[in-house]
């Protein structure tokens, strides 16, 4: 049978389809998604939950004239398949391929680029106000999950939207679960709302197709059932109405006809803001994802099979577990990323000392500051890119008061396939300018343990950044030790030049030194370990001798680690310096490996950059002078 | 008659007072506040509105065992007077004196340091959770204004607090007006709530005393009456209850007995979170402030009389007004600072194109991004310190999409008396690391106009930072011109060294050049104008000649302007460089003049630093070679 999806080149092609055809299309889209995403990796569960909603939205509204803004955007795969990107869908999240998130540069149907949570209502409101000022008449729809709704800026936008009273439609895609199970009183209130039970009957029949997909059944066993089937029967519509929105719902989110009816009602409601509450099942139709939507929130592609080495997140989780056992003043805070950061291991054993505050990075940090005033040592575990959202709280609530809050910054540097919105390539810069904050990065998983232990001992605000993915596989020292704050380490002596690297860049720099060694170039390798304070004594002494300096960091060069090293050395004349890092641009999606190679951040790239910058060093034969200290 | 206030050395001294004594105390506190703040400057209106509330809180709760967290903290003067800082109150906001905000370093009664809005509930919740983990039993109270409640993180904290269900008291100090009149649907809902009319009778009698104060009547005429006297009769308690809080109120906020009753009820309510809604009058008891609480939100001290030169904010407002007349695609956005930023001038003439979104910097920026996608050119006018709160939105919603949003960053650099929490000393660093963003700073008010015009023309994200207070008084060129992006200007040629300055530091550097000239030192002066992109051609050429380099900026050195210049020059050998700016510390409160002198950022300081760093340059007689280009 010919696939209906093959005929959908733009949303206009949806309009003539019958209800049975639409249902078949939904199945085809799910098949396509599971088939592709199990290879490419991606946000499967969210997108599976929004298939019918995407179809209904594109039938009721006329994109790109009407604007649909997808909050976060990890639920937008069906939208991508329906808006002319079917042929490129197998390039999802691959270098040069289509993005895993909406991207204005990719399609006119992507009204706003997203990636982080809670931005959609603000953006949609801006678009709506622009429409009003222009005298235009299109519709603006923000689609936001219940998790994103816990983020404060969504509330700011709702409040402003209700005040302005302009025509905007906010669709709450409520799967009663954010990335981690939604926390917050509002979520509890939401989950008290329910549908007429008959809506639930539609649920059972769906998704038989995808069970037969490759890999479809392999992850069944050992899964925890997190979703509760029963919902209450209360509708606190006053909540939305006190914010100035007309409330429609709740609506069953996997019934296309019902969705179209509700969305049409919203579209025809003039002139004010409308809130449409849609109940969906995350992972819908793909049983493994439906059963364990946390695991399937973001999955890795087949080709990125684990190498058996624990990830930094796992090492972090295990180390925290040990430290929690020893010290009952430790508490940990996650902003909806308890699983991803590795904290779930600690939460299982110490549920009262681990807090998942929802997608609320601002609150997470200031909440930690409050805990710290009472003698607790809070570890705030947030990905680098998301910590940007709490920048002022780090400054204003932690560092001005010099409180001992520890920031465990996962996914620092190049994160790979999630692309521009998720790269953690700015943290060394935006944190280096904050007084009182100590900023460190471990070169391997063993050092991560020592740095965490050091942070707990230091009594000051301290941030530790480490990369996404596998650690190095080095043996982890059992006994954690306190490292001297602001002291680096010479890993290799040499005479020709000094390479000072930090964090994940140290291993690449070491490998580069091997390559350079074969070319007769004899490097000093310094693991700076601390981006702030810098080990000025060590750096000044070493660089004064070699005169040639190379810094390596997986961070933008502007205001980053290398820039701080240069500033430190500014009073010494005669230094020639090369800084290796990310140039002044946003890093696209693609594998970490390819991206690192593209930025000369792998060993070969570093060696090549050095040989080009210091051509006088290239000799014909390997140097024998070199001395490895580790 | 002996003053009661003279007997209050700690909150314990309040406990035995009679109701008439308390009323007298409130009057005395108001007198003290008005008398002091009209000299020192400060946040008069907010603190006047919270006098009775402060007394009642300190009678019902036992600080410092019980913790009171003041949101923003600009309403905490009565609290300071009641907690042992009476004798130092005349040093308020002066260098070495007490802070204008709560400060943990200043008193154990300041449970949490504040300054920015919307942080109190998060901090209080952290403190409450720490109490629970420790098995302690004290009370935790957050006092938050209706303006601060519009900030998203307050909502994040309420939501988490309701979820945790721990004992915490949130007192909403609702004066139906934030710094600017509160916007937002929630505020409208709040203002529908009301008291029994009898509560309002208490209002009339108060405040006769302060009318007789010096300066008390001088600013009466021409004031706009902004407060509306009538409130509705609806209590949307479900709003708070859907967030998991028990609701008490509304309570008349200037009746101590009534406040004590409500707070006692809240204190005795176990075990969950309680929301106490208190209605106050901003500026209460001091008629000028009561009548125009916007003007009296923050007032300048007597000694800082205007020099007749317009402030940068005024120049910004006037320039925007001109540009709005010429270009109907311009829109402007303020986060509760329409007055302070100078935008009110534009809002009066173009109310539909100026948006005050409340204390919601995050939403402000993403709302602007939404507008920009539709061909509008939004100008987001936010103080430097508050823009920190929208750091991720600048990155994620504006710069990744390369949208032409203009950031007009007022109060950049040293702001003076508001101190640590309000200094704008980080923006050059935290903005420099963001790809796509152009970052500029005018050396005077004439350049501010040109840079705004340039930003509108450039079609890219651009930030312009300028200082608090008077501009230089230079003649403003009528015809605005487009300046080349990334091009600086040589203001003076010379041979001995190159001084590259940016923004407000240019004028000081020029004055320093005069001083140096007298000592026989002949400087090149470059106004970099753009911190990013740097004028690499000009800088490389100039510095290559003089070999000696000095950079000057009113920003932290870490990751700032000078650091970027050094990075640019890293490939040239033989440069000796001195960077002048703010060291790695938070800047205290005090006048801008004193603080600048303390950091060697005035002309004398710059000249001295240069002579110390380059002692070989000091000659006995003035140089005659010098050539001034402007």
């Amino acid at each position: 049978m010919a696939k209906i999806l093959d005929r959908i080149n733009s949303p206009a092609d949806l309009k003539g389809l019958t209800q049975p055809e639409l249902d078949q299309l939904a199945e085809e889209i799910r098949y396509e998604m599971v088939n592709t995403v199990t290879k490419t990796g991606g946000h499967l569960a969210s997108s599976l939950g929004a298939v019918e909603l995407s179809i209904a939205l594109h039938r009721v509204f006329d994109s790109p004239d009407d604007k649909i803004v997808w909050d976060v955007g990890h639920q937008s795969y069906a939208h991508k398949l329906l808006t002319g990107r079917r042929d490129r869908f197998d390039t999802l999240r691959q270098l040069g391929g289509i993005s895993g998130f909406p991207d204005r540069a990719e399609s006119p149907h992507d009204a706003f680029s997203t990636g982080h949570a809670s931005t959609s209502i603000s953006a949609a409101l801006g678009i709506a106000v622009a429409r009003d000022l222009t005298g235009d008449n299109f519709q603006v729809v923000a689609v936001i999950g219940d998790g994103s709704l816990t983020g404060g800026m969504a509330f700011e936008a709702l409040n402003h939207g209700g005040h302005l009273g302009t025509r905007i439609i906010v669709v709450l895609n409520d799967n009663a679960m954010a990335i981690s199970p939604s926390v917050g009183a509002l979520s509890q209130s939401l989950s008290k709302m329910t549908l007429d039970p008959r809506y639930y009957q539609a649920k059972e029949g769906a998704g038989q197709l995808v069970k037969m997909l490759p890999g479809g059944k392999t992850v069944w066993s050992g899964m925890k059932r997190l979703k509760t089937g029963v919902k209450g029967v209360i509708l606190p519509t006053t909540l939305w109405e006190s914010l100035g929105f007309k409330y429609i719902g709740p609506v069953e989110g996997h019934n296309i006809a019902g969705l179209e009816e509700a969305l049409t009602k919203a579209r025809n409601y003039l002139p004010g803001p409308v809130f449409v509450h849609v109940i969906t099942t995350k992972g819908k139709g793909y049983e493994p994802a439906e059963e364990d939507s946390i695991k399937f929130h973001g999955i890795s592609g087949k080709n990125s099979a684990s190498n058996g080495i624990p990830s930094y997140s796992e090492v972090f989780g295990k180390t925290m577990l040990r430290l929690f056992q020893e010290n009952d003043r430790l508490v940990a805070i996650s902003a909806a990323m308890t699983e991803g950061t590795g904290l779930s291991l600690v939460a299982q054993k110490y549920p009262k000392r681990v807090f998942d505050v929802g997608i609320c990075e601002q609150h997470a940090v200031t909440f930690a500051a409050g805990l710290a005033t009472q003698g607790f040592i809070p570890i705030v575990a947030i990905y680098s890119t998301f910590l940007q959202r709490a920048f002022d709280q780090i400054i204003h609530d932690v560092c001005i008061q010099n409180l001992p809050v520890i920031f465990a910054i996962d996914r620092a540097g190049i994160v790979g396939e999630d692309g521009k919105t998720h790269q953690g390539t700015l943290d060394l810069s935006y944190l280096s300018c904050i007084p009182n904050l100590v900023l460190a990065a471990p070169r391997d998983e063993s050092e991560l343990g020592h740095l965490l232990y050091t942070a707990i001992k230091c009594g000051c605000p301290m941030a530790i950044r480490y990369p996404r993915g596998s650690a190095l596989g080095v043996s982890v020292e059992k006994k954690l030790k306190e490292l001297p704050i602001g002291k680096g380490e010479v890993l290799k002596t040499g005479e020709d030049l000094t390479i000072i690297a930090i964090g994940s860049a140290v291993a690449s720099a070491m490998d580069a030194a091997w390559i350079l060694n074969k070319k007769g170039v004899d490097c000093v390798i310094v693991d700076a370990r601390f981006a702030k304070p810098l080990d000025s004594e060590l750096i000044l002494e070493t660089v004064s001798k070699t005169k040639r300096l190379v810094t390596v960091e997986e961070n933008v060069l502007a205001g980053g680690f290398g820039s701080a090293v240069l500033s430190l050395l500014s009073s010494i004349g005669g230094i020639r310096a090369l800084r290796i890092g990310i140039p002044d641009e946003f890093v696209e999606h693609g594998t970490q490996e390819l991206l690192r190679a593209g930025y000369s951040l792998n060993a070969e790239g570093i060696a090549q950059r050095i040989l080009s910058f210091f051509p006088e060093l290239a000799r014909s034969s390997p140097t024998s002078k070199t001395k490895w200290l580790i």
Side-chain angles (χ1 to χ4, degrees), chain A:
Chain A
M1 191 172 69
K3 282 170 78 177
I4 294 169
L5 183 57
D6 291 343
R7 290 188 267 140
I8 310 296
N9 295 313
S10 86
D13 297 328
L14 289 172
K15 309 267 163 158
L17 299 183
T18 64
Q19 197 59 51
E21 286 174 320
L22 292 172
D23 291 338
Q24 187 191 328
L25 177 65
E27 293 281 311
E28 290 174 10
I29 289 172
R30 286 206 166 82
Y31 185 95
E32 187 70 31
M33 269 186 206
V34 176
N35 206 19
T36 300
V37 178
T38 48
K39 289 186 204 114
T40 62
H43 290 93
L44 188 54
S46 309
S47 275
L48 285 169
V51 173
E52 287 81 7
L53 179 57
S54 303
I55 295 172
L57 281 165
H58 278 299
R59 277 172 55 88
V60 173
F61 299 97
D62 291 315
S63 175
D65 290 341
D66 292 335
K67 315 294 177 196
I68 302 170
V69 182
W70 299 92
D71 203 279
V72 182
H74 57 185
Q75 79 289 58
S76 66
Y77 298 168
H79 161 80
K80 295 213 170 198
L81 285 166
L82 296 171
T83 53
R85 282 167 277 185
R86 188 167 37 85
D87 294 342
R88 286 181 288 154
F89 195 67
D90 61 346
T91 69
L92 186 74
R93 295 156 45 91
Q94 311 303 301
L95 192 63
I98 63 173
S99 166
F101 298 93
D103 187 340
R104 292 178 69 239
E106 194 177 289
S107 166
H109 294 282
D110 293 358
F112 201 78
S113 303
T114 50
H116 288 187
S118 316
T119 66
S120 63
I121 308 174
S122 296
L125 195 60
I127 295 171
V129 165
R131 170 200 63 202
D132 299 343
L133 287 171
T134 313
D136 221 324
N137 196 33
F138 55 80
Q139 300 280 346
V140 187
V141 184
V143 185
I144 184 167
D146 55 308
S148 292
L149 201 64
T150 61
M153 77 176 287
F155 169 81
E156 295 178 353
L158 282 174
N159 195 29
H160 189 213
H163 172 76
L164 290 176
T166 187
R167 188 156 39 94
I168 179 182
I169 298 168
V170 175
V171 176
L172 171 61
N173 174 12
D174 180 6
N175 52 45
M177 185 182 302
I179 296 171
S180 295
S182 270
V183 297
L186 180 63
S187 163
Q188 290 165 4
S189 289
L190 282 178
S191 68
K192 283 185 196 154
M193 303 183 190
T194 190
L195 297 173
D196 190 302
R198 73 198 144 144
Y199 282 110
Y200 281 104
Q201 294 165 13
K203 174 179 165 182
E204 297 308 316
Q208 294 307 313
L209 179 64
V210 290
K211 267 199 254 174
M212 290 170 288
L213 281 167
K217 290 245 182 188
T218 56
V219 279
W220 267 96
S221 59
M223 285 184 183
K224 215 169 50 170
R225 191 173 181 87
L226 285 159
K227 288 191 92 78
T228 53
V230 189
K231 290 166 187 280
V233 205
I234 302 159
L235 306 180
T237 57
T238 47
L239 180 65
W240 314 110
E241 285 171 1
S242 70
L243 289 165
F245 278 70
K246 179 177 168 63
Y247 176 90
I248 296 174
V251 186
E252 211 279 317
H254 301 293
N255 177 322
I256 297 173
L259 284 166
E260 289 189 30
E261 189 187 328
L263 292 170
T264 304
K265 192 172 160 193
R267 187 191 65 195
N268 296 340
Y269 173 77
L270 295 172
V274 187
F275 192 92
V276 184
H277 185 180
V278 176
I279 309 286
T280 62
T281 302
K282 198 164 175 177
K284 178 72 180 177
Y286 181 50
E287 290 186 30
E290 219 172 307
E291 291 293 307
D292 190 351
S293 62
I294 290 180
K295 180 159 184 174
F296 281 84
H297 171 69
I299 63 170
S300 297
K302 276 187 179 170
N303 303 331
S304 61
S306 170
N307 51 15
I309 298 171
S311 68
Y312 277 100
S313 309
E314 288 170 281
V315 174
F316 168 72
K318 283 182 188 164
T319 309
M320 289 317 301
L321 188 61
R322 281 180 60 188
L323 293 166
F324 263 59
Q325 282 160 351
E326 292 162 13
N327 187 342
D328 63 7
R329 306 305 282 179
L330 298 187
V331 289
I333 295 142
S334 156
M337 290 292 173
T338 312
E339 292 286 325
T341 57
L343 271 184
S344 50
L345 197 67
V346 192
Q348 280 161 27
K349 183 119 190 239
Y350 299 99
K352 290 191 176 167
R353 286 159 60 198
V354 178
F355 301 88
D356 182 349
V357 300
I359 310 181
C360 299
E361 293 81 5
Q362 300 187 98
H363 167 63
V365 171
T366 306
F367 175 64
L371 278 155
T373 64
Q374 304 304 305
F376 283 84
I377 302 171
I379 293 96
V380 180
I382 296 183
Y383 297 175
S384 173
T385 186
F386 299 140
L387 193 61
Q388 292 165 187
R389 298 160 69 97
F391 181 58
D392 187 52
Q393 288 70 26
I394 300 172
I395 299 166
H396 179 269
D397 298 304
V398 174
C399 292
I400 285 183
Q401 299 186 74
N402 207 14
L403 291 168
V405 174
I406 300 166
F407 298 96
I409 309 178
D410 200 338
R411 270 69 159 175
I414 289 173
V415 302
E417 293 86 348
D418 277 341
K420 285 182 290 198
T421 53
H422 283 64
Q423 308 288 1
T425 50
L426 302 176
D427 58 50
L428 289 179
S429 303
Y430 72 76
L431 294 173
S432 283
C433 65
I434 307 176
N436 291 344
L437 184 68
V438 172
L439 180 53
R443 66 173 177 262
D444 58 34
E445 58 267 51
S446 190
E447 288 261 317
L448 173 58
H450 298 320
L451 282 173
L452 286 167
Y453 184 77
T454 302
I456 289 163
K457 293 282 178 193
C458 88
C460 59
M462 179 161 161
I464 304 168
R465 59 126 51 185
Y466 44 92
R468 168 173 169 254
S470 295
L472 301 188
V474 304
S475 65
V476 172
E477 285 179 67
K478 280 269 159 66
K479 185 160 170 54
L480 296 177
K481 62 188 178 195
E482 194 175 350
L483 299 169
I485 299 284
K487 290 294 166 196
E489 191 177 352
V490 177
L491 304 183
K492 176 182 172 306
T493 60
E495 292 185 359
D496 294 328
L497 81 156
T498 302
I499 304 180
I500 311 181
I502 188 152
S504 59
V506 175
S508 310
M510 288 289 275
D511 291 343
W514 278 105
I515 298 172
L516 290 169
N517 196 47
K518 289 183 201 146
K519 310 258 182 192
V521 181
D522 186 27
C523 316
V524 183
I525 302 276
V526 175
D527 171 11
R529 194 185 275 139
F530 291 88
K532 190 179 168 193
L534 286 174
D535 191 341
S536 49
E537 200 182 349
L538 176 66
I539 293 172
L540 284 166
E541 188 193 325
T542 314
V543 181
S544 299
K545 282 183 199 153
T546 64
K547 297 289 181 190
R548 296 186 193 90
L549 166 69
V550 177
T551 62
V552 194
E553 65 197 298
E554 205 167 294
N555 191 83
V556 293
L557 292 170
F561 167 73
S563 160
V565 171
L566 285 186
S567 297
L568 172 68
L569 294 169
S570 64
S571 53
I572 307 182
I575 309 289
R576 280 171 61 212
L578 166 67
R579 291 176 306 141
I580 299 176
I582 316 260
D584 189 28
E585 63 187 42
F586 291 106
V587 176
E588 293 294 328
H589 50 273
T591 64
Q592 286 174 298
E593 196 182 347
L594 285 173
L595 292 170
R596 282 179 181 139
Y599 287 113
S600 299
L601 281 164
N602 58 3
E604 295 73 21
I606 293 169
Q608 270 182 8
R609 289 284 309 275
I610 290 173
L611 291 171
S612 309
F613 193 84
F614 302 109
E616 73 277 13
L617 287 179
R619 302 184 186 100
S620 50
S621 58
T623 174
S624 57
K625 294 175 295 187
T626 203
K627 189 178 167 197
W628 300 87
L629 301 184
I630 61 163

